[in-house]
Amino acid sequence: MDDTELDSLILKLYDIGAVKFGTFKLKSGLMSPIYFDLRVMVSYPAVMNQVSSLLYKRAEDAGARFDCVCGVPYTALPLATIICSTKRVPMLIRRKEAKAYGTKRMVEGLIRPGDMCLIVEDVVTSGSSVLETTQVLQGEGLKVRDAVVLLDREQGGSGHLAAEGIALHPVISISKLLSVLVEAGHVDASTSGSVERFLQANPACRPMRQAEESLGYGERAALPGTHPLAARLFTLMEEKTSNLCVSADVSSADELLKLADAVGPLVCALKTHVDVLCDFSPAVSVRLGELAKTSTTI
Ligand SMILES: O=c1ccn([C@@H]2O[C@H](COP(=O)(O)O)[C@@H](O)[C@H]2O)c(=O)[nH]1
């Protein structure tokens, strides 16, 4: 892919406000110092056309073979539409929720079981959105082997999808984007460095497979790759037959310890902020730890 074309696209995306620095909450709940709001592209037809053509070229360069294309709702829907219209490839639309009337279909368009479908996405973090769309298509008998994405945040999504048999082909990597923005003077080297450190230190969690959602808490605790703290929480939820967590927003140590003592046997976790206690001391933490042990609470 032509480097000059990519550099100019990155600068255009920055100019139209699709690249934002600050503090943003991701789908997973993780707070991120960078966010890509590619929804704004719909107001810039030239950018939409350029992005769609680069996505298609990326699929071609990767040697992807497909009979139809499906965009991950919603941002990638217009991108998939442009690709399908200009390249004359049949398109499928995955509904986010089935209609309560009419056909109640989850996938619109002509479905031919056994056809290979190319997935189109705007941004990948964990890969969960690509995987959700893939699973719906697979449920209709379609096959998915390749996904093209405009921007890979490089937080592990590519590996997660590879483990599910899907090859992810990104047009822009976040490292390339940061270096172009630093070069153009839009971002200073220290901001770029801290974003890169954040991305390296915060790999996205592996997306849950549909089959896992129906497992019991104990079975989920035993799955390979489950974080030890998550495994402990699942185990407690199973043992205590409770999925309750109490938010102890009280202002005195006495109230906090009394509440912890009373609800401990009924909940799996208690969360609080010691900075809202007017009389916090290290002894409060010690006592809270003892109560957590006796009532097996996190
Ligand atoms: O900077 C970002 C990050 C994510 N998104 C949206 O989230 C999903 C991708 O996250 P997964 O964890 O890979 O599912 C994607 O559909 C984006 O629309 C974003 O817009 N900007």
Side-chain angles (χ1 to χ4, degrees):
M1 205 163 283
D2 179 358
D3 244 16
T4 333
E5 191 184 0
L6 267 197
D7 292 8
S8 88
L9 174 64
I10 291 169
L11 294 174
K12 256 186 239 164
L13 291 174
Y14 181 81
D15 286 344
I16 65 171
V19 184
K20 298 180 189 302
F21 294 88
T23 307
F24 306 91
K25 195 175 193 173
L26 298 180
K27 190 175 164 190
S28 60
L30 187 70
M31 301 307 286
S32 165
I34 190 165
Y35 189 73
F36 302 98
D37 185 6
L38 295 168
R39 292 154 200 89
V40 296
M41 284 192 307
V42 294
S43 304
Y44 302 88
V47 178
M48 290 291 281
N49 282 334
Q50 189 184 5
V51 167
S52 307
S53 116
L54 286 171
L55 284 166
Y56 186 78
K57 186 156 187 312
R58 187 69 186 86
E60 271 186 332
D61 291 349
R65 302 213 164 272
F66 48 91
D67 308 295
C68 52
V69 170
C70 181
V72 175
Y74 292 100
T75 315
L77 287 184
L79 298 170
T81 309
I82 296 172
I83 291 173
C84 291
S85 162
T86 54
K87 304 294 174 188
R88 297 185 184 270
V89 184
M91 175 165 134
L92 292 173
I93 299 178
R94 181 221 148 181
R95 304 188 70 89
K96 272 221 161 177
E97 50 288 305
K99 284 187 297 183
Y101 55 92
T103 57
K104 300 187 183 167
R105 290 163 62 124
M106 285 305 288
V107 179
E108 304 289 357
L110 178 64
I111 299 170
R112 294 188 312 185
D115 269 6
M116 186 64 75
C117 189
L118 172 73
I119 305 277
V120 175
E121 173 64 308
D122 61 335
V123 183
V124 159
T125 308
S126 68
S128 73
S129 307
V130 169
L131 199 60
E132 278 162 27
T133 292
T134 299
Q135 286 169 339
V136 171
L137 295 171
Q138 287 171 338
E140 301 284 343
L142 292 150
K143 293 191 215 153
V144 174
R145 210 169 38 205
D146 297 278
V148 278
V149 62
L150 178 59
L151 213 137
D152 179 8
R153 290 180 55 105
E154 297 174 54
Q155 285 181 270
S158 173
H160 295 152
L161 291 171
E164 302 294 330
I166 303 164
L168 183 71
H169 312 294
V171 172
I172 304 172
S173 64
I174 202 159
S175 30
K176 164 82 179 164
L177 177 128
L178 287 170
S179 77
V180 171
L181 294 182
V182 169
E183 179 81 8
H186 289 312
V187 176
D188 57 54
S190 108
T191 306
S192 160
S194 67
V195 168
E196 281 192 300
R197 281 192 297 281
F198 165 84
L199 295 169
Q200 271 162 20
N202 290 282
C205 290
R206 178 180 66 76
M208 208 180 356
R209 296 184 191 102
Q210 259 172 356
E212 286 173 29
E213 286 169 23
S214 54
L215 294 179
Y217 295 132
E219 291 164 308
R220 284 167 71 179
L223 283 175
T226 303
H227 189 280
L229 186 56
R232 174 140 182 262
L233 186 58
F234 281 139
T235 308
L236 281 184
M237 286 157 83
E238 177 100 341
E239 285 171 5
K240 295 176 91 169
T241 56
S242 164
N243 57 8
L244 297 177
C245 167
V246 68
S247 177
D249 295 335
V250 291
S251 53
S252 78
D254 188 47
E255 275 176 290
L256 174 65
L257 295 175
K258 276 189 183 141
L259 182 67
D261 194 24
V263 301
L266 308 170
V267 303
C268 295
L270 178 142
K271 81 153 250 299
T272 189
H273 292 267
V274 290
D275 53 345
V276 299
L277 296 181
C278 57
D279 53 353
F280 174 74
S281 72
V284 179
S285 295
V286 174
R287 181 67 193 132
L288 211 48
E290 286 165 1
L291 289 171
K293 225 179 229 168
T294 45
S295 63
T296 56
T297 303
I298 292 176

